Structures are given as structure tokens and as C-alpha cells.
Amino acid sequence: MACVPLPICPLAMAESERSLPVFPDRIEVLLAEAGLEGEALTMRMTGYPHGCARPYLAEIGLVGKAPSLYNLYPGGDRTGMRLNALDREALGEEAQLDILRPRLKRFAGLRGAGKTFGSWPAAYSRDGEEPMRIETRIQDVLLLFGELRNAPYAPAAFATSFGAEDMVLTDLIAKHAPWIEIFTLDTGRLPEETYRLIQETRGHYHLPIQVYFPEHGTVERYVREHGPNAFYESQEMRKTCCHMRKVEPLQRALQGKGAWVTGMRREQALTRQDLAVQEWDAAHELPKFNPLADWRGKEVWDYIRRFEVPYNRLHDQGYPSIGCAPCTRAISPDQDIRAGRWWWENPAAKECGLHVVDGRLIRARPATPQKPPGQT
Ligand code: SF4
């Protein structure tokens, strides 16, 4: 499969010694899940595209990109057919499995009787046609939504903040997965454009959207003691505000749920690069699903335009990420997607407490801290 005499391939960065003993076992689990147990499958892992393992001549080819990160190639079958197309770049192990899982299931469902695994590349559906790509993406999400219909995940709830990704998921849930409840957190400080979109979404889809508010007594006490905009004064004040307006209402929203769904994507920040489609949310002790983890920003917007999905007009004004009005501002195209959130803070401490992965809060890529309005 690949050279193993060295822990890391000297031609690139493939960690063959660490990955080889464990990764094929995990692929076998996926095969069993897809009903393909016992099928012959060739997997090749190598340090660079023209390396000794020849990843193109395998049903699954992996090329080392950096320590623990691989590019994924659909590869070719054992007769030497080549697709020669890079599928995804710089994936961690969990991300690779997330991408392969629905594709193996789809392959199992699509192939004709008596076909061997050699027909896998033809069924892989990695192609240059944008409409097909979106269709493939949609199928992956709907497969996942199907699993959320029953135990142990039901009732599943989708947390929307009405960002672009959330509107894609809202559209899919409204049309195909009404068993997933939709809720949002109204912090009381949202931009007017977001309220308009909430209203528009209700009318467009005729959907009940459950809105959770902060406990009014806690907010009244905070504002009386510190003022309405105290979150600019210190990180502690900001975190207290986020906790009472977001974290506590989220805890209430998730009570009694079997799983929750978010619109988070890997591309949104470097720290989300290994975001998995399925995670264990230790803070809420629930399975958490990020069905768009692997989507690119362009694909989100292709979906919105193709299906005429309502979206927040602030996205047209330089706001790729939208939170509370006083804590979000427009950014320039060369800045990180989340640079406009809490821009006055040290980037290493930016979070609101809603998303925790492996015990760590997910943070945005570092950006230059700047002062809040009114401060010099
Ligand atoms: S984003 Fe700003 S206004 Fe909204 S809850 Fe957090 S600190 Fe408060």
C-alpha cells in the first residue's frame, strides 16, 4: 500500500507508520455500515502524487499533504482506470471518513446486482458539473437527515442563526425532513435585517420556528448594574453577556433532544479544518451534526441562488458572518470570514461558548485586534 520504513514519507508528509495500521480498519467499519462487508477494496496511501503507492490505481487514494492531513482521490479501479481528479484537500482522518461514509452508502445503493467494487469510480459522482455536484451534496445531507428521524437521535433539533449555511439547511429541512425541529436564539440584540429574515422565512416555508429568549431577570440585572453595552468594556463582561443571551437559552433549547444540527463548515476558520460531520458535544451531552462541514462557500451560495432561498441582506454588504448587531461589522474580502465578530478582542479569546469540540471552544483565525466604536 505504501512505504512504511519511515514514520513520515521523506518525499512529502504522509504518516504511513501511524495511519496504516488503523485507517484500513476504520474503512472496514464504513464498508460494514454500508452493507459492503467483505468486499475487496484497494486503498493506497502515499507521500506525493507520483509516489510508490500510486494512489490513482486504487478505489481510495490518499496523498499526504501535511502531518495528519491527506488529499483524497477517488482513484481508479484495479484494471487501471484513472479518474485523475483531486476530490478534497488537506483532510484529517475524521474528515476523510465523513466524506467516504455517505459515498459508500450511495455506491451500495446505486450499483447493479453482481457488480464488484471495481465500478466504484463510476459511481463516485465526483464530476465537473456544478448541478451534479450540488445534487450529490444534497443527497449526502438527506441521507444524514434520514438517520435523524429515529432513535437514538430523535427528536433532533436544528439551531439556526439565519446565516447563509443555516438557510440552506432550513430549505432542506422544510422540503425533506420536517421531523427535525428548527429553533433560534433571539439575543435581543440582533440586527434588524435578521428579524426581517426570520419573518420572511416563516412566511416562505410556513414553518414553526421556536424562538428562545434570555431569562429577562438576568438581562435586567446585567443592564442595571453594568449598562446595555458593557460587553465592550472587558472580555469578562462580553462573556457574561454571551452566556446569558446565548449559552443559557441554548441549554434550554436542547433539553429533551436526541441530537442537534448546525450549519458550521470547515472552511469558516482554520480551527474548524478538521470539523467532523458527526461529533459528540460533551457540553450538552448530545450527538451534534454539521451536515455542511465539507461544503465550500461557493456551493452554499450556488444552492441559495439555484433554489431561490431567502437570505440575510447583510451578506450583500460585507457581512459573511452575522451575529448580534453591536458585535458584528462588515469586513473586506481579504479578511477572515469571522474577522467582523468581536473585532476589538484578542482573537485567541474570541468565542461565544456555543460550540465546543474535544473540550475546546472553536475559535476564529487570528486577526488584528481593533478598538470598539467610541474608543480611541
Ligand atoms: S454577541 Fe455581543 S450582544 Fe450578543 S450576546 Fe454576545 S456580547 Fe452580547
Side-chain angles (χ1 to χ4, degrees):
M1 287 183 58
C3 50
V4 290
L6 300 169
I8 292 180
C9 172
L11 294 172
M13 302 297 280
E15 293 179 293
S16 47
E17 188 178 71
R18 186 187 64 83
S19 296
L20 280 179
V22 292
F23 197 65
D25 289 345
R26 302 196 69 184
I27 294 283
E28 281 187 8
V29 172
L30 293 193
L31 288 171
E33 282 176 15
L36 296 165
E37 200 164 13
E39 299 252 2
L41 163 73
T42 308
M43 201 182 101
R44 293 173 189 258
M45 188 182 287
T46 187
Y48 84 132
H50 308 295
C52 44
R54 303 169 74 200
Y56 299 125
L57 301 182
E59 282 90 3
I60 297 172
L62 296 167
V63 178
K65 174 82 173 172
S68 301
L69 297 177
Y70 287 80
N71 290 350
L72 175 64
Y73 289 75
D77 65 17
R78 276 161 280 145
T79 63
M81 170 184 169
R82 285 171 62 133
L83 291 190
N84 202 22
L86 171 65
D87 189 63
R88 297 285 184 280
E89 284 193 85
L91 298 169
E93 193 170 296
E94 295 304 323
Q96 293 164 35
L97 295 169
D98 278 343
I99 287 169
L100 291 171
R101 183 179 290 112
R103 284 171 169 72
L104 286 165
K105 285 185 181 172
R106 188 167 53 249
F107 170 70
L110 290 177
R111 69 175 184 166
K115 288 254 178 91
T116 66
F117 218 103
S119 57
W120 152 260
Y124 196 87
S125 300
R126 180 70 186 177
D127 51 67
E129 296 297 316
E130 204 58 39
M132 267 303 289
R133 271 184 51 75
I134 291 289
E135 292 299 343
T136 305
R137 297 290 208 193
I138 293 170
Q139 283 177 25
D140 290 351
V141 176
L142 296 186
L143 264 173
L144 172 61
F145 282 172
E147 291 180 18
L148 302 186
R149 188 170 196 166
N150 302 309
Y153 303 124
F158 164 50
T160 174
S161 60
F162 293 87
E165 291 82 0
D166 293 340
M167 294 313 298
V168 169
L169 290 176
T170 299
D171 191 74
L172 287 168
I173 289 170
K175 292 172 178 168
H176 306 284
W179 53 88
I180 299 176
E181 299 169 23
I182 302 179
F183 74 88
T184 191
L185 309 177
D186 184 348
T187 63
R189 302 299 301 262
L190 300 178
E192 177 55 27
E193 289 83 351
T194 303
Y195 289 114
R196 266 190 233 140
L197 180 59
I198 294 173
Q199 193 72 28
E200 186 184 354
T201 304
R202 285 174 53 89
H204 188 87
Y205 296 107
H206 305 288
L207 270 178
I209 297 171
Q210 182 67 45
V211 180
Y212 288 86
F213 292 91
E215 293 288 356
H216 68 89
T218 313
V219 177
E220 286 166 4
R221 198 162 42 249
Y222 178 96
V223 172
R224 186 178 66 244
E225 291 175 7
H226 308 290
N229 289 345
F231 39 77
Y232 289 136
E233 291 172 7
S234 71
Q235 192 183 100
E236 186 190 348
M237 282 290 104
R238 205 272 294 159
K239 285 188 174 178
T240 304
C241 186
C242 278
H243 191 274
M244 71 182 180
R245 292 183 191 271
K246 294 179 174 180
V247 178
E248 188 281 328
L250 177 67
Q251 286 166 353
R252 261 186 290 129
L254 294 180
Q255 275 171 21
K257 301 296 185 296
W260 69 300
V261 177
T262 83
M264 291 166 70
R265 292 186 301 115
R266 288 187 195 112
E267 232 183 35
Q268 287 168 328
L270 274 182
T271 45
R272 293 182 183 178
Q273 208 168 48
D274 211 19
L275 180 74
V277 170
Q278 179 173 0
E279 305 173 321
W280 173 250
D281 176 357
H284 301 101
E285 298 192 325
L286 278 180
K288 180 177 167 188
F289 293 90
N290 311 300
L292 305 187
D294 186 36
W295 285 42
R296 291 169 180 149
K298 179 181 180 308
E299 291 167 334
V300 170
W301 284 101
D302 283 346
Y303 184 102
I304 286 174
R305 292 192 184 101
R306 182 171 168 193
F307 296 103
E308 298 181 343
V309 176
Y311 66 91
N312 196 320
R313 295 298 152 179
L314 285 176
H315 287 310
D316 296 332
Q317 299 166 35
Y319 291 78
S321 174
I322 303 167
C324 291
C327 302
T328 309
R329 68 177 184 180
I331 61 168
S332 56
D334 60 322
Q335 285 185 290
D336 182 87
I337 290 174
R338 285 172 63 83
R341 306 286 295 276
W342 307 296
W343 66 92
W344 64 92
E345 285 194 354
N346 180 340
K350 283 212 262 187
E351 27 70 15
C352 63
L354 296 184
H355 300 293
V356 180
V357 173
D358 292 339
R360 288 180 295 114
L361 286 158
I362 295 174
R363 299 189 175 104
R365 185 192 303 180
T368 309
Q370 295 177 35
K371 291 193 165 48
Q375 292 193 13
T376 56

